[in-house]
Amino acid sequence: MSITVSRDRHHRYSVVASGEALAPTGPLRRVLQEHTGEQLVVVDEALWPTYGPAIEALLAESAHRILRLPAGEQNKTLDATLRVVEAMDACRIPRRSSPVLAIGGGVLCDLVGFAASIYRRGVPYIRVPTTLLAQVDVSAAIKTGVDHNGFRNRLGTFWPAALTVVDHGFLATQTSEQISQGLGEVFKLALIASEDLFARLARLPADWSPQWFATSADAAALMRQALELMVAELSDDLWEDNLARRVDFGHSFSPLIEMRTGLHHGHAVALDCLLGASIAAGRGLLATETLPHIAAVMRRCALPVRHRAFEDVDELWTALAEVVHHRDGAQHLPVPIDLGKHAFLEDLTRAELAAAVRRLRRAV
Ligand SMILES: NC(=O)c1ccc[n+]([C@@H]2O[C@H](COP(=O)([O-])OP(=O)(O)OC[C@H]3O[C@@H](n4cnc5c(N)ncnc54)[C@H](O)[C@@H]3O)[C@@H](O)[C@H]2O)c1
Ligand SMILES: [Zn+2]
């Protein structure tokens, strides 16, 4: 006997922009009022001194429990996920009517999303991303996960947040370095998919600050363009059935290098993009003279243009082998052709990689 069941499932999720995510009149208050039982809020503990009072005020009329967790890649663990799960039990959260609320950067959003996706085989959650990286990149996607066994996002799921509320005001308390980490993902997208976004990055004011990102209309327009572009890139294949994805640009060598060196994700992505550009130059897909221009835009974004791990060919080759495994045995290596366009390479050789590293040393 043979029985085959085939069903499509409709998915819908929303990302809304609000200048006042935590305000009593903002979108969250309305949502929270509809929730039943004790509301679980998981918040990045670094945010508590600044935003704790506003979060308490937002929840004043609801029974609630607050779990504060440390962020940073080293805290993106299964242990932290289990702490969220235990808090869910303690709150006796209902299966549908009271989505867990996650307030924090990419680490917190990814790990709360992971906990929500495995708790009772899936309960809803809402995100309030508080870093530039999480607002322009994580917000667009339905991916959750934690690091494990020395690998990034080794455990994870596809689980859309019911709602994501983006409030640029949070960026005012980020450091410039943290803003630049987020710009790493914007730079990735710009270089591979949008000459227009790339030009916007090139025009960033030389003296930009976190405050500028939090308040200026130009910054808001840049971040909106990046988010919309990211949504457009992802929405046709949310479950990654196709493993040749141009948004994986910058994510070919970086995953293992990040875990081994402690380089921040956004910075590792940017360095990986620059190396990808150099590889493309070696194939004649991109003019070598473009490399210094790309590096200049990276500097404008306060991104690193050199790092010893990205000059270590053995390390890079090992990192690529790991990603090839992740891409089911194929390189599917996205590289830029000119600015804003892409190609996939399937046959990069170690000698070509070494030449790309040497070319970069000369060019930037
Ligand atoms: N799910 C996805 O599709 C996706 C996409 C891209 C990246 N990511 C993940 O995102 C993670 C990186 O995100 P991140 O850079 O936001 O990391 P993070 O959450 O660790 O935040 C970075 C630092 O900023 C602090 N912070 C957060 N908000 C702040 C604020 N408003 N003011 C001051 N400090 C603040 C945090 O405490 C932390 O120290 C990586 O783990 C990466 O894998 C996921
Ligand atoms: Zn990324």
Side-chain angles (χ1 to χ4, degrees):
M1 191 180 96
S2 156
I3 300 177
T4 306
V5 178
S6 173
R7 286 279 180 281
D8 285 332
R9 186 166 176 188
H10 180 70
H11 284 267
R12 184 192 177 96
Y13 63 98
S14 308
V15 184
V16 302
S18 163
E20 42 189 39
L22 302 179
T25 49
L28 283 173
R29 171 59 74 81
R30 281 194 300 283
V31 173
L32 292 174
Q33 275 166 347
E34 291 161 13
H35 290 189
T36 59
E38 197 179 3
Q39 173 69 46
L40 177 60
V41 181
V42 188
V43 53
D44 177 339
E45 71 177 11
L47 298 178
W48 194 254
T50 315
Y51 301 101
I55 295 171
E56 289 282 18
L58 176 71
L59 296 163
E61 285 163 25
S62 342
H64 62 272
R65 176 180 298 253
I66 291 173
L67 174 65
R68 295 185 228 162
L69 289 179
E73 199 66 35
Q74 71 280 13
N75 294 305
K76 199 175 170 186
T77 62
L78 195 52
D79 277 352
T81 310
L82 296 180
R83 287 192 60 195
V84 179
V85 163
E86 282 149 21
M88 289 167 163
D89 271 340
C91 283
R92 296 182 58 72
I93 62 160
R95 279 185 71 188
R96 300 285 177 260
S97 53
S98 202
V100 177
L101 181 57
I103 306 175
V107 164
L108 197 105
C109 290
D110 273 10
L111 83 84
V112 174
F114 183 49
S117 72
I118 57 174
Y119 187 72
R120 294 180 188 275
R121 302 192 178 88
V123 294
Y125 79 114
I126 292 175
R127 300 181 287 207
V128 181
T130 61
T131 61
L132 194 155
L133 187 145
Q135 293 188 351
V136 298
D137 194 315
V138 179
S139 290
I142 66 164
K143 297 207 271 197
T144 81
V146 294
D147 304 334
H148 194 63
N149 208 18
F151 296 102
R152 286 190 69 244
N153 299 323
R154 185 52 109 203
L155 303 174
T157 54
F158 293 99
W159 191 244
L163 175 67
T164 301
V165 181
V166 172
D167 176 352
H168 296 146
F170 284 107
L171 308 184
T173 52
Q174 285 211 273
T175 62
S176 297
E177 174 157 8
Q178 288 167 348
I179 296 284
S180 82
Q181 292 161 358
L183 289 176
E185 296 275 19
V186 179
F187 165 75
K188 159 203 80 180
L189 201 55
L191 185 48
I192 202 92
S194 169
E195 194 171 359
D196 187 53
L197 185 59
F198 194 84
R200 264 188 209 261
L201 288 177
R203 289 196 306 270
L204 274 178
D207 61 349
W208 64 257
S209 64
Q211 187 67 26
W212 184 80
F213 276 93
T215 55
S216 96
D218 283 351
L222 185 150
M223 293 186 282
R224 190 171 52 245
Q225 186 181 6
L227 176 60
E228 284 172 358
L229 200 56
M230 195 64 190
V231 169
E233 286 291 317
L234 298 180
S235 52
D236 280 344
D237 186 18
L238 287 170
W239 285 267
E240 299 183 12
D241 292 321
N242 179 2
L243 297 179
R245 297 163 10 104
R246 70 172 170 175
V247 285
D248 277 343
F249 182 45
H251 295 68
S252 300
F253 305 97
S254 58
L256 201 68
I257 288 182
E258 255 175 87
M259 292 304 282
R260 291 189 175 175
T261 63
L263 246 178
H264 186 276
H265 179 66
H267 285 180
V269 164
L271 285 158
D272 183 320
C273 291
L274 186 59
L275 179 61
S278 181
I279 291 169
R283 293 247 173 153
L285 298 170
L286 182 89
T288 304
E289 304 78 67
T290 313
L291 295 177
H293 174 50
I294 293 172
V297 173
M298 291 174 75
R299 291 194 179 97
R300 180 51 63 98
C301 298
L303 290 165
V305 296
R306 291 187 85 152
H307 187 278
R308 56 179 166 70
F310 278 87
E311 298 187 354
D312 181 336
V313 178
D314 289 337
E315 187 79 350
L316 290 166
W317 194 244
T318 306
L320 182 64
E322 181 53 34
V323 155
V324 165
H325 188 51
H326 187 60
R327 295 178 188 158
D328 208 38
Q331 285 188 351
H332 295 327
L333 189 70
V335 293
I337 311 179
D338 296 331
L339 298 174
K341 298 195 211 74
H342 75 286
F344 290 102
L345 305 187
E346 301 294 351
D347 52 359
L348 180 79
T349 65
R350 198 177 182 290
E352 261 184 301
L353 180 61
V357 168
R358 286 196 300 276
R359 185 175 308 106
L360 269 190
R361 265 198 219 123
R362 288 192 301 272
V364 304

